[in-house]
Amino acid sequence: MLIRRRGQDLALIQQVDHAKMAGDIAARWGNDDFALPTPHDKATLATAMHDDGWREPDLLPLFNDVEHRPMHFLEISMEEHVKLYSRGVDEVFAADPYAGLLISMHWTGLYRARWGLQPGGIKWGTDGRQDEAVLAEEQRWIEVKRTLMQGMIRSDLEQHLWHNYDLLQAWDLLSLYASVCDTTPGDGPTAHVFDSLASIDHAPGPRTIPSVPVAVGQERVELTLTAVRPGVVELDPYPFDVDELPVTVPSRVIPDRPYSGPDDARGALAVAAVENVECIFVRPGRRS
């Protein structure tokens, strides 16, 4: 569950809904400055399914006993994270091996600083389960790649695969930004998107996503996200095939109060108002 504190309320977004929005972002990626990923359909499918393992836990929802509220996604224990992601990855592998491979890389990358893209990694500790998961998944990749590379040059498969992995991280972070970050104009300090995600409290200010590839084997750029009007965000450089890309995700709004346990939180969610979180990505200088 993604959670953002909003005044006297908490806005909760299910991970599968955030992932669907990330898939919508992936579907419009590519223009004269950013190459269309190959295979685009499978990269988009993987992105839209990358958090499927959260579907059942978000319906419970998972509960933070210390904060007395539903659990924000980065507050989960390593043991629970490994179990839920393992289940989701297996389901996607069954649907499409290439998409499953990309999501397996995404999952294990969360335990390896997004395979070098996220300085410092994700701060949730380890009890050894993450290392076991990474090793098991890397072994699974071997056979899957043997199947996928039939009729292909191995280096072409690897280059496009890792290019698509890096793009999946950018699509994921763009969706996370649009879901929970403060998209109102403000003069707060510039920060990486992934440094803004652990807290449920957010302040306005520019955000960045580093090391986004423009094409296979070519340069990487830093995307800068600057809110110019509430819910309208300039993205520089601009990677989409339309001048404006509106995205939306449903959220459920509950009072920001101490909850006695999962049942209390579940009861609040059952009667919660549903509100769409909307964001429009625009070219620099084009203010919708």
Side-chain angles (χ1 to χ4, degrees), residues 202-268:
H202 296 271
R207 295 293 179 263
T208 60
I209 300 174
S211 299
V212 179
V214 301
V216 174
Q218 295 188 22
E219 67 173 317
R220 296 172 179 271
V221 297
E222 181 175 79
L223 299 184
T224 300
L225 299 90
T226 307
V228 293
R229 287 177 51 196
V232 179
V233 177
E234 285 187 347
L235 190 52
D236 187 19
Y238 190 78
F240 302 120
D241 62 359
V242 288
D243 289 334
E244 298 183 358
L245 180 63
V247 292
T248 184
V249 65
S251 71
R252 287 180 292 172
V253 180
I254 62 174
D256 182 13
R257 63 168 175 83
Y259 290 86
S260 61
D263 289 341
D264 189 14
R266 190 179 301 116

Side-chain angles (χ1 to χ4, degrees), residues 167-186:
L167 288 179
L168 195 161
Q169 306 317 297
W171 301 330
D172 181 31
L173 291 168
L174 283 168
S175 179
L176 288 169
Y177 168 85
S179 296
V180 298
C181 288
D182 191 327
T183 59
T184 58

Side-chain angles (χ1 to χ4, degrees), residues 89-121:
V89 168
D90 287 345
E91 291 173 358
V92 181
F93 263 118
D96 184 275
Y98 189 94
L101 182 55
L102 271 179
I103 297 177
S104 173
M105 294 161 64
H106 173 73
W107 169 33
T108 53
L110 297 178
Y111 307 147
R112 293 295 184 267
R114 294 187 191 255
W115 296 113
L117 293 176
Q118 182 169 350

